[in-house]
Amino acid sequence: NPITIAIDGPSGSGKSSVSKAVARQLGLAYLDTGAMYRALTWWCLERGLDTTDVEAVAAQADTFPLVIGTEPDAATVHVGGTDIGAAIRQTRVSEQVSHIATNLQVRATMRDLQRQIIADARHAGAGIVVEGRDITTVIAPDAEHRFLLSASEEARLARRARELFDTDDDSALAATHDQIVRRDAADSTVSAFFEPAPGVVGIDTSDLTFDQSVAAVLDAVEA
Ligand code: C5P
């Protein structure tokens, strides 16, 4: 029987790398829902749209030609044939994505798209690992397995600094702090991701290595 594994958490919780590894090990598809919000943000910025213009952004959400790859080793993001996998990680995208993500019409469109991708993966194969902010609560509350990854602010900052700057020295930490803390605050209206919802397994990864975090999820899935 196909399964859905829903994994929520803030940035720096290890969510993306853990989700991918779990999908790979279990032979499941993989969906990064944050990449979808980032893709729409990139698209709006390319068109010179004001990302706070609720109606204009919502109209783009309904029509922009997004194609998401769901192989854990080829989680590609294309719009209209252009590969934007790298572009969606740009700082300008990270800085604006919360405007897009707090747009309720955008969230409704993304919810439908995400549920369709989940249904397709369950139909075609063994199932899917879906990571984001509202997967355990809104997108797939009936998923067979649901996790909330968390980590101390210190651990999250260090991880993200190493990702962004290849170091966690003081200047990298300071630059990362700005980005992460601001985005968490901006996101807090759409996701209460610090408390697991009833039935959701919380995993604090602060003191876990990457392999231990993956094992914690796999153990719970296989239990
Ligand atoms: O996971 P990532 O940090 O790439 O997500 C980028 C942004 O997308 C988040 O800061 C949040 O604003 C939004 N997001 C969301 N709901 C999700 C996934 C991401 O609102 N399920």
Side-chain angles (χ1 to χ4, degrees):
N1 282 350
I3 58 169
T4 299
I5 302 178
I7 303 184
D8 284 329
S11 60
S13 59
K15 180 178 46 132
S16 288
S17 43
V18 168
S19 298
K20 256 187 218 176
V22 167
R24 215 176 277 132
Q25 296 212 28
L26 297 178
L28 302 176
Y30 162 77
L31 177 63
D32 173 3
T33 59
M36 299 172 70
Y37 289 97
R38 287 173 176 276
L40 179 58
T41 305
W42 178 87
W43 174 259
C44 289
L45 290 175
E46 285 297 297
R47 313 199 128 206
L49 283 184
D50 173 357
T51 55
T52 65
D53 184 337
V54 172
E55 293 299 330
V57 168
Q60 296 300 321
D62 284 335
T63 55
F64 88 123
L66 175 67
V67 179
I68 292 278
T70 57
E71 288 293 316
D73 291 307
T76 51
V77 185
H78 288 85
V79 284
T82 306
D83 180 348
I84 58 165
I88 62 170
R89 306 292 157 192
Q90 291 164 355
T91 306
R92 63 175 185 142
V93 172
S94 300
E95 283 174 354
Q96 301 274 321
V97 66
S98 300
H99 294 149
I100 303 284
T102 49
N103 182 320
L104 294 181
Q105 292 183 69
V106 167
R107 296 200 78 79
T109 300
M110 291 295 185
R111 179 195 61 213
D112 293 348
L113 277 173
Q114 289 160 12
R115 286 188 179 158
Q116 189 59 53
I117 293 170
I118 294 168
D120 289 347
R122 293 177 68 100
H123 188 71
I128 186 164
V129 178
V130 188
E131 61 141 306
R133 300 287 201 285
D134 61 345
I135 313 306
T136 62
T137 51
V138 175
I139 304 300
D142 53 356
E144 283 75 6
H145 303 281
R146 294 182 296 155
F147 299 94
L148 179 70
L149 300 195
S150 62
S152 65
E153 185 172 297
E154 198 189 358
R156 299 197 296 119
L157 279 176
R159 281 181 192 147
R160 205 17 90 86
R162 287 192 299 265
E163 258 171 54
L164 291 173
F165 303 107
D166 275 326
T167 161
D168 57 6
D169 67 16
D170 286 349
S171 75
L173 282 178
T176 308
H177 183 271
D178 260 30
Q179 278 194 32
I180 297 269
V181 173
R182 207 167 351 103
R183 187 144 58 90
D184 281 353
D187 281 343
S188 62
T189 57
V190 290
S191 55
F193 45 60
F194 297 112
E195 274 301 314
V200 175
V201 176
I203 300 176
D204 183 344
T205 66
S206 305
D207 300 319
L208 300 183
T209 64
F210 169 68
D211 287 342
Q212 288 170 332
S213 303
V214 174
V217 173
L218 289 175
D219 285 352
V221 167
E222 281 156 7

